Amino acid sequence: MTTTPAPRTAPLTGVRVLDLATLFAGPLAATMLGDFGAEVIKVEHPGKPDPSRGHGPSKDGIGLWWKILGRNKRTITLDLSKPGGRATLLRLAAEADVLIENFRPGTLEKWDLGWPELSAANPRLVLTRVTGFGQFGPYAHRPGFGTLAEAMSGFAAITGEPDAPPTLPPFGLADSIAGLATAYAVMTALAARDRTGEGQVVDMAIIEPILTVLGPQPTWYDQLGYVQRRTGNRSANNAPRNAYRTADGTWVAVSTSAQSVAERLMRLVGRPDLIDEPWFATGAERAAHADVLDEAVGTWIAARTRTEVLAAFEKAEAAVAPIQDVRDVLTDPQYQALDTVTTLDDPDLGPLRMQNVLFRLSDTPGAIRWAGRAHGADTTEVLTELGLTAAELTALREEGAV
């Protein structure tokens, strides 16, 4: 396959990233950087590819998750425990801007590839270390996965119905949040390097970004002793806020975070009298009377089809959205207008749909140039570009380093 280079207008053109990470936060961060022009080189073990290649459903033996996570990356193999693999990585690092890894703390050091060695090879390098619990502390050496972060952070404790067990998400929520946070951390470190001329180490613990997005829970507890509880689809801060079933058996979600929207909704469902109740004036008080409000809204919605509900809400300028599965997402006119799910031509699978780049830039847009490549597809090309001779490549192969 002939890969498509990043356009000169891409904002991260010229930034070289070594992606040594696996499942899922570190590789996702590298994907985000690659989407906006960074040259990403995915480094995998010769005999143990990134497990995301086999994670989830596949087609004709090709992992579909990898097609997304591996997009815009060239793939090479290196066994870092071999002397030749170590030496080659140091040569790659000498010409890189960023190295992303998610080994357990101490693993790179075991191979003599810690920060002292990497920074000696390239003082401008940003070493980005993504682990479950961070590089220090009592849990640092434990195996860390997003599920553990979802449990530890308080997310699971507040998710689910009040009388049901805590609920974990059915997808990589904590990993994804950490991946986005890692991309931000890398860009922050690169901005600092532009001023100082020196690289540094990014320490990203997956347990931390998800705690940040959960809102002011620590501050609430610190100042008020308040512990947020499970409320199902309801909110402790406003009402009506729930999922409601329509007459044709579909579901819609309603939000009334703004007082004016709550008032418009009550007029729409034929209960303007509730607006005059003293408790209706604040979101928290409305939440305390959610049973009354849910009855009014739910009864009105249950008598109408989803199409009728959506049209009436739009006319009334009330906030509603259909609860969609992936089939609905792919035909949703707003997503289509934004090209949120785009199509590219893949040599393995033909036309292939996947989520587009994360945001739009008016002058320097990102792009998906190719989907995830085969294991080690670019090893010879990348290492030859690095300056390795045919004899050196042969020696690496004989050693089992590639």
Side-chain angles (χ1 to χ4, degrees), residues 324-372:
Q324 302 186 146
D325 64 20
V326 67
R327 295 167 295 185
D328 303 313
V329 168
L330 291 175
T331 59
D332 184 281
Q334 183 61 32
Y335 281 131
Q336 289 181 337
L338 297 173
D339 196 29
T340 305
V341 178
T342 196
T343 302
L344 62 149
D345 186 32
D346 180 71
D348 299 317
L349 299 171
L352 177 64
R353 287 192 285 185
M354 66 175 64
Q355 296 95 323
N356 209 336
V357 299
L358 192 61
F359 49 87
R360 287 162 291 282
L361 295 179
S362 61
D363 296 329
T364 57
I368 303 172
R369 305 186 298 283
W370 62 84

Side-chain angles (χ1 to χ4, degrees), residues 250-253 306 310 320-325 328 332:
T250 61
W251 293 83
V252 297
R306 183 169 78 172
L310 296 178
V320 68
I323 292 179
Q324 302 186 146
D325 64 20
D328 303 313
D332 184 281

Side-chain angles (χ1 to χ4, degrees), residues 136-180:
F136 57 90
Y139 303 164
H141 291 278
R142 293 182 181 179
F145 298 99
T147 298
L148 308 187
E150 290 145 12
M152 285 181 59
S153 63
F155 171 84
I158 65 169
T159 303
E161 295 297 328
D163 56 351
T167 300
L168 294 165
F171 65 100
L173 177 63
D175 274 306
S176 298
I177 296 171
L180 298 174

Side-chain angles (χ1 to χ4, degrees), residues 85-387:
R86 175 188 179 277
T88 303
L89 182 73
L90 287 174
R91 290 178 67 170
L92 284 166
E95 298 188 6
D97 298 282
V98 179
L99 187 154
I100 301 175
E101 61 95 3
N102 71 337
F103 301 109
R104 287 200 212 179
T107 301
L108 281 184
E109 286 75 9
K110 179 179 66 177
W111 297 327
D112 293 325
L113 286 170
W115 179 238
E117 292 80 13
L118 290 169
S119 61
N122 182 359
R124 291 174 55 82
L125 184 70
V126 172
L127 172 59
T128 307
R129 318 194 76 167
V130 185
T131 57
F133 305 104
Q135 294 296 310
F136 57 90
Y139 303 164
H141 291 278
R142 293 182 181 179
F145 298 99
T147 298
L148 308 187
E150 290 145 12
M152 285 181 59
S153 63
F155 171 84
I158 65 169
T159 303
E161 295 297 328
D163 56 351
T167 300
L168 294 165
F171 65 100
L173 177 63
D175 274 306
S176 298
I177 296 171
L180 298 174
T182 300
Y184 165 60
V186 167
M187 297 308 302
T188 302
L190 289 175
R193 190 191 69 177
D194 288 344
R195 293 198 311 273
T196 67
E198 297 181 356
Q200 60 183 297
V201 179
V202 173
D203 179 4
M204 176 63 67
I206 295 173
I207 60 172
E208 291 184 305
I210 188 171
L211 182 59
T212 296
V213 303
L214 284 174
Q217 292 190 49
T219 305
W220 284 340
Y221 181 74
D222 174 65
Q223 296 296 305
L224 302 172
Y226 172 74
V227 178
Q228 186 173 345
R229 303 297 183 186
R230 290 190 293 283
T231 56
N233 289 322
R234 288 180 171 178
S235 168
N237 302 310
N238 65 79
R241 194 267 196 179
N242 215 325
Y244 305 93
R245 190 180 180 96
T246 64
D248 52 352
T250 61
W251 293 83
V252 297
V254 172
S255 177
T256 56
S257 295
Q259 180 70 20
S260 59
V261 173
E263 292 175 6
R264 288 198 291 268
L265 177 55
M266 289 302 102
R267 294 189 185 99
L268 172 64
V269 302
R271 293 300 306 273
D273 57 296
L274 293 177
I275 299 173
D276 297 326
E277 293 287 348
W279 50 262
F280 197 87
T282 69
E285 284 296 312
R286 292 199 310 273
H289 293 80
D291 288 342
V292 174
L293 296 171
D294 275 345
E295 173 66 22
V297 176
T299 299
W300 187 91
I301 288 176
R304 291 160 177 81
T305 67
R306 183 169 78 172
T307 300
E308 292 170 334
V309 169
L310 296 178
F313 267 70
E314 183 171 2
K315 184 177 179 180
E317 297 185 4
V320 68
I323 292 179
Q324 302 186 146
D325 64 20
V326 67
R327 295 167 295 185
D328 303 313
V329 168
L330 291 175
T331 59
D332 184 281
Q334 183 61 32
Y335 281 131
Q336 289 181 337
L338 297 173
D339 196 29
T340 305
V341 178
T342 196
T343 302
L344 62 149
D345 186 32
D346 180 71
D348 299 317
L349 299 171
L352 177 64
R353 287 192 285 185
M354 66 175 64
Q355 296 95 323
N356 209 336
V357 299
L358 192 61
F359 49 87
R360 287 162 291 282
L361 295 179
S362 61
D363 296 329
T364 57
I368 303 172
R369 305 186 298 283
W370 62 84
R373 308 259 284 138
H375 181 228
D378 305 290
T379 301
T380 299
E381 180 182 40
V382 169
L383 298 187
T384 299
E385 291 173 357
L386 187 63

Side-chain angles (χ1 to χ4, degrees), residues 44-57:
E44 299 173 85
H45 189 281
K48 300 174 184 177
D50 187 328
S52 66
R53 290 181 177 274
H55 207 85

